[in-house]
Amino acid sequence: VTPRHLGSFIKQNNIKLLIIDGISYMSDDRKSSSDYERLTHIAKDLFDISKKYGCAVVVAVQANRETKDAKDEKGVPFPSIYNVAGAFSIVQIATQAFAMRQIFDKHVFEIKLEKTRMAKNDKNILSYSADYNTGNMQYLPGGADEDPTISMPDTSDILTPSEGPVP
Protein backbone atom coordinates (compact mmCIF):
# COMPACT_ATOMS: atom_id res chain seq x y z
CA VAL A 1 0.00 0.00 0.00
CA THR A 2 1.29 3.45 -0.93
CA PRO A 3 0.08 6.93 0.07
CA ARG A 4 -1.08 7.49 -3.54
CA HIS A 5 -3.21 4.32 -3.36
CA LEU A 6 -4.69 5.45 -0.02
CA GLY A 7 -5.41 8.91 -1.47
CA SER A 8 -7.47 7.34 -4.25
CA PHE A 9 -9.28 5.14 -1.73
CA ILE A 10 -10.08 8.15 0.51
CA LYS A 11 -11.40 10.18 -2.42
CA GLN A 12 -13.44 7.32 -3.89
CA ASN A 13 -15.06 6.38 -0.57
CA ASN A 14 -15.28 9.86 1.02
CA ILE A 15 -13.30 8.65 4.05
CA LYS A 16 -13.03 11.15 6.93
CA LEU A 17 -10.82 9.10 9.29
CA LEU A 18 -8.03 6.81 8.15
CA ILE A 19 -6.18 4.76 10.76
CA ILE A 20 -2.89 3.16 9.75
CA ASP A 21 -1.37 0.52 11.97
CA GLY A 22 2.05 -0.31 10.65
CA ILE A 23 3.41 2.59 8.59
CA SER A 24 6.66 0.65 8.34
CA TYR A 25 4.87 -1.89 6.11
CA MET A 26 3.82 0.79 3.60
CA SER A 27 5.64 1.40 0.32
CA ASP A 28 6.94 4.77 -0.81
CA ASP A 29 5.59 6.29 -4.04
CA ARG A 30 9.08 7.74 -4.62
CA LYS A 31 12.50 6.18 -4.62
CA SER A 32 14.14 6.10 -1.20
CA SER A 33 17.71 5.26 -0.31
CA SER A 34 17.01 4.43 3.37
CA ASP A 35 14.19 3.47 5.72
CA TYR A 36 14.40 6.92 7.31
CA GLU A 37 13.90 8.59 3.93
CA ARG A 38 11.09 6.17 2.98
CA LEU A 39 9.18 6.81 6.22
CA THR A 40 9.76 10.56 5.89
CA HIS A 41 8.25 10.50 2.39
CA ILE A 42 5.29 8.40 3.50
CA ALA A 43 4.58 10.60 6.55
CA LYS A 44 4.78 13.77 4.43
CA ASP A 45 2.52 12.27 1.74
CA LEU A 46 -0.05 11.18 4.35
CA PHE A 47 -0.01 14.69 5.82
CA ASP A 48 -0.60 16.18 2.34
CA ILE A 49 -3.43 13.69 1.68
CA SER A 50 -5.03 14.68 4.97
CA LYS A 51 -5.01 18.35 3.94
CA LYS A 52 -6.13 17.67 0.36
CA TYR A 53 -9.15 15.48 1.22
CA GLY A 54 -10.04 16.81 4.68
CA CYS A 55 -9.43 13.38 6.16
CA ALA A 56 -7.86 12.84 9.57
CA VAL A 57 -5.00 10.37 9.32
CA VAL A 58 -4.03 8.50 12.48
CA VAL A 59 -0.83 6.49 12.45
CA ALA A 60 -0.29 3.97 15.25
CA VAL A 61 3.41 3.41 15.85
CA GLN A 62 4.97 1.11 18.42
CA ALA A 63 7.58 2.40 20.78
CA ASN A 64 11.11 1.01 20.61
CA ARG A 65 12.23 -1.57 23.12
CA GLU A 66 14.21 1.15 24.95
CA THR A 67 10.85 2.32 26.37
CA LYS A 68 11.21 -0.21 29.18
CA ASP A 69 13.92 2.08 30.62
CA ALA A 70 11.78 5.25 30.30
CA LYS A 71 10.09 4.91 33.69
CA ASP A 72 8.14 7.73 35.28
CA GLU A 73 7.63 8.56 38.97
CA LYS A 74 5.34 5.50 39.27
CA GLY A 75 8.18 3.28 38.14
CA VAL A 76 6.16 2.26 35.10
CA PRO A 77 7.41 2.77 31.52
CA PHE A 78 5.65 5.51 29.54
CA PRO A 79 6.83 5.93 25.94
CA SER A 80 7.60 9.38 24.60
CA ILE A 81 7.94 10.72 21.09
CA TYR A 82 11.63 9.91 21.35
CA ASN A 83 10.81 6.20 21.55
CA VAL A 84 8.96 6.06 18.21
CA ALA A 85 9.87 2.96 16.25
CA GLY A 86 10.98 3.52 12.68
CA ALA A 87 11.47 7.24 12.16
CA PHE A 88 11.39 10.40 14.20
CA SER A 89 10.24 12.10 11.00
CA ILE A 90 6.72 10.75 11.60
CA VAL A 91 6.54 12.72 14.85
CA GLN A 92 8.07 15.82 13.27
CA ILE A 93 5.29 15.96 10.66
CA ALA A 94 2.46 14.97 13.02
CA THR A 95 0.09 17.66 14.24
CA GLN A 96 -0.56 15.69 17.43
CA ALA A 97 1.19 12.76 19.10
CA PHE A 98 -0.14 10.68 21.98
CA ALA A 99 1.59 8.09 24.13
CA MET A 100 -0.41 5.23 25.61
CA ARG A 101 0.37 2.61 28.21
CA GLN A 102 -1.31 -0.13 30.17
CA ILE A 103 -0.65 -0.77 33.84
CA PHE A 104 -1.75 -4.38 33.89
CA ASP A 105 -1.64 -5.05 37.64
CA LYS A 106 -4.04 -2.12 38.28
CA HIS A 107 -6.13 -2.68 35.11
CA VAL A 108 -5.45 0.90 34.07
CA PHE A 109 -5.07 2.37 30.58
CA GLU A 110 -3.46 5.83 30.26
CA ILE A 111 -3.10 8.36 27.44
CA LYS A 112 -0.72 11.34 27.44
CA LEU A 113 -0.62 14.14 24.86
CA GLU A 114 3.04 14.32 23.86
CA LYS A 115 2.85 16.91 21.10
CA THR A 116 0.27 19.28 19.66
CA ARG A 117 0.44 22.16 17.24
CA MET A 118 -3.06 23.34 18.08
CA ALA A 119 -3.25 23.88 21.85
CA LYS A 120 -1.32 24.40 25.05
CA ASN A 121 0.21 21.11 26.13
CA ASP A 122 0.58 20.43 29.85
CA LYS A 123 1.22 16.74 29.09
CA ASN A 124 -1.67 15.75 31.32
CA ILE A 125 -2.38 12.06 31.63
CA LEU A 126 -5.89 10.68 31.15
CA SER A 127 -6.39 7.50 33.18
CA TYR A 128 -9.11 4.89 32.69
CA SER A 129 -10.00 1.81 34.68
CA ALA A 130 -10.21 -0.84 31.97
CA ASP A 131 -11.69 -4.32 31.67
CA TYR A 132 -10.19 -5.64 28.45
CA ASN A 133 -12.33 -8.77 28.50
CA THR A 134 -15.52 -6.73 28.07
CA GLY A 135 -14.18 -3.54 26.49
CA ASN A 136 -15.56 -1.44 29.36
CA MET A 137 -13.67 1.62 30.58
CA GLN A 138 -14.25 4.19 33.31
CA TYR A 139 -12.51 7.56 33.49
CA LEU A 140 -10.45 8.08 36.65
CA PRO A 141 -10.56 11.85 37.29
CA GLY A 142 -7.56 11.84 39.67
CA GLY A 143 -5.62 9.18 37.79
CA ALA A 144 -4.62 5.73 38.95
CA ASP A 145 -2.44 7.12 41.76
CA GLU A 146 -5.41 8.73 43.52
CA ASP A 147 -6.94 5.35 44.38
CA PRO A 148 -4.37 2.64 45.12
CA THR A 149 -7.14 0.07 45.62
CA ILE A 150 -8.05 0.07 41.94
CA SER A 151 -7.66 -3.37 40.49
CA MET A 152 -10.80 -4.17 38.53
CA PRO A 153 -13.31 -1.70 37.10
CA ASP A 154 -16.45 -0.96 39.11
CA THR A 155 -19.16 -2.15 36.73
CA SER A 156 -21.86 0.05 38.28
CA ASP A 157 -20.80 3.17 36.37
CA ILE A 158 -18.97 1.81 33.32
CA LEU A 159 -18.87 3.53 29.97
CA THR A 160 -19.60 0.99 27.27
CA PRO A 161 -18.53 1.20 23.64
CA SER A 162 -21.12 2.90 21.43
CA GLU A 163 -22.97 0.92 18.81
CA GLY A 164 -22.21 1.70 15.19
CA PRO A 165 -20.05 4.50 13.82
CA VAL A 166 -19.29 7.53 15.95
CA PRO A 167 -20.87 10.67 14.38
Side-chain angles (χ1 to χ4, degrees):
V1 174
T2 67
R4 185 178 303 144
H5 176 254
L6 289 175
S8 298
F9 178 78
I10 290 166
K11 181 179 178 184
Q12 185 177 35
N13 295 286
N14 197 29
I15 302 293
K16 293 299 174 195
L17 172 63
L18 177 70
I19 301 173
I20 298 171
D21 183 11
I23 191 170
S24 59
Y25 300 112
M26 289 184 65
S27 299
D28 188 1
D29 287 313
R30 299 174 257 175
K31 295 202 185 288
S32 307
S33 59
S34 68
D35 279 343
Y36 177 83
E37 186 177 35
R38 178 178 63 85
L39 290 170
T40 301
H41 288 166
I42 292 169
K44 171 83 170 72
D45 291 345
L46 290 172
F47 183 82
D48 292 344
I49 286 169
S50 174
K51 286 174 37 178
K52 181 176 181 178
Y53 296 112
C55 172
V57 177
V58 175
V59 177
V61 182
Q62 281 188 323
N64 290 328
R65 296 191 193 284
E66 294 86 32
T67 301
K68 69 179 185 261
D69 298 325
K71 295 181 180 178
D72 66 359
E73 65 280 352
K74 297 178 190 176
V76 180
F78 211 137
S80 76
I81 56 177
Y82 302 104
N83 302 116
V84 170
F88 189 66
S89 59
I90 298 167
V91 176
Q92 289 174 318
I93 293 169
T95 56
Q96 294 183 336
F98 296 89
M100 296 177 279
R101 72 171 169 191
Q102 297 176 41
I103 305 173
F104 290 103
D105 61 334
K106 289 188 175 185
H107 297 270
V108 170
F109 174 75
E110 294 185 322
I111 303 170
K112 177 172 62 170
L113 180 62
E114 280 285 308
K115 173 193 172 183
T116 181
R117 291 183 183 177
M118 301 168 204
K120 180 181 175 188
N121 186 8
D122 293 329
K123 295 198 177 196
N124 292 331
I125 297 173
L126 302 174
S127 297
Y128 297 87
S129 177
D131 181 345
Y132 298 106
N133 293 321
T134 63
N136 294 326
M137 296 179 79
Q138 180 179 13
Y139 175 63
L140 302 171
D145 287 339
E146 294 293 318
D147 186 355
T149 64
I150 294 173
S151 62
M152 284 299 289
D154 174 12
T155 57
S156 63
D157 191 23
I158 294 287
L159 300 174
T160 56
S162 62
E163 303 246 346
V166 177

